[in-house]
Amino acid sequence: DLYDRDGVKGVVCIVSDEGTHGLVISLEQIYLTWSEFRKPDLRTVGAGNRTDGEENMRTVEAYIAANGLSWDDFPAFKWCREQGEGWYLPSIDELLTIGHNYNGGSRMKNNRQARNKFNDALKDAGGKRMDRMVYYFSSTEMDEKNAYTSHTSLEPPYVVEIPKYNKFLVRAVHKF
């Protein structure tokens, strides 16, 4: 479903058991790096939360402030932040749940109807369809070189570590 309240517009991708809270995914996506640091300047930021990307966003913000850096050093986070107040780069578990829900609640069977419904909601709202075959960056870092990524396809592996300085797809999420 389309969510459009208080300046937050996106497609609902996760709903709580009681149906009153959840997560909205951005209508747009973009290819960006997680961070701009390469050898020999690779660094661990501390964004290790697997379940809460909002917490990882705060960790990156604190790291930037403590080290005299800028959001330009973390393009994926900067882009999510530029979507507006409360938008953030999802954690790896949030991304995995989005992939699960994108496929109708299970990756054990092919549910083209569920994927089409999800993508049609994005398109109908003026956004871009999810790309099943390309990995999306999560806000969860593995170490100084890699961050976790996931895709929405049925085929494993669902989680792959990718160098932070490579460009992969980014989608922002917002809690409601």
Side-chain angles (χ1 to χ4, degrees):
D1 292 333
L2 177 66
Y3 183 94
D4 190 359
R5 292 188 195 146
D6 303 320
V8 175
K9 187 175 181 180
V11 170
V12 176
C13 58
I14 298 175
V15 180
S16 64
D17 290 337
E18 66 277 359
T20 57
H21 299 288
L23 210 59
V24 174
I25 195 163
S26 64
L27 299 176
E28 298 299 319
Q29 64 185 18
I30 188 171
Y31 281 93
L32 291 170
T33 61
W34 195 96
S35 74
E36 291 294 305
F37 300 107
R38 296 176 178 271
K39 287 182 181 180
D41 298 320
L42 294 174
R43 52 185 74 194
T44 301
V45 175
N49 194 312
R50 294 185 62 88
T51 60
D52 188 357
E54 197 172 34
E55 177 64 33
N56 287 334
M57 191 75 144
R58 287 191 293 270
T59 299
V60 170
E61 183 174 22
Y63 187 85
I64 287 169
N67 292 282
L69 300 171
S70 81
W71 287 102
D72 291 332
D73 296 315
F74 301 93
F77 291 89
K78 178 183 179 187
W79 183 82
C80 291
R81 187 174 187 252
E82 288 174 344
Q83 303 313 298
E85 182 70 31
W87 288 94
Y88 63 91
L89 187 61
S91 70
I92 190 58
D93 286 354
E94 288 168 326
L95 264 184
L96 286 168
T97 302
I98 291 166
H100 182 75
N101 292 342
Y102 175 81
N103 286 288
S106 171
R107 292 195 194 191
M108 300 307 287
K109 62 180 179 151
N110 189 355
N111 189 338
R112 180 173 286 139
Q113 184 179 3
R115 289 192 308 273
N116 288 343
K117 184 178 178 184
F118 197 105
N119 280 328
D120 288 347
L122 288 165
K123 260 184 22 190
D124 292 347
K128 290 193 168 75
R129 300 166 53 93
M130 296 286 289
D131 192 319
R132 285 189 311 134
M133 305 309 287
V134 178
Y135 283 88
Y136 286 82
F137 262 127
S138 80
S139 61
T140 310
E141 69 181 333
M142 178 185 164
D143 55 27
E144 67 279 353
K145 181 181 178 187
N146 298 304
Y148 292 109
T149 62
S150 187
H151 58 77
T152 58
S153 182
L154 297 175
E155 298 80 26
Y158 302 121
V159 177
V160 173
E161 305 86 24
I162 300 288
K164 298 176 198 175
Y165 48 78
N166 287 350
K167 285 187 177 182
F168 279 89
L169 280 174
V170 172
R171 286 255 184 188
V173 293
H174 193 289
K175 291 179 181 173
F176 69 91

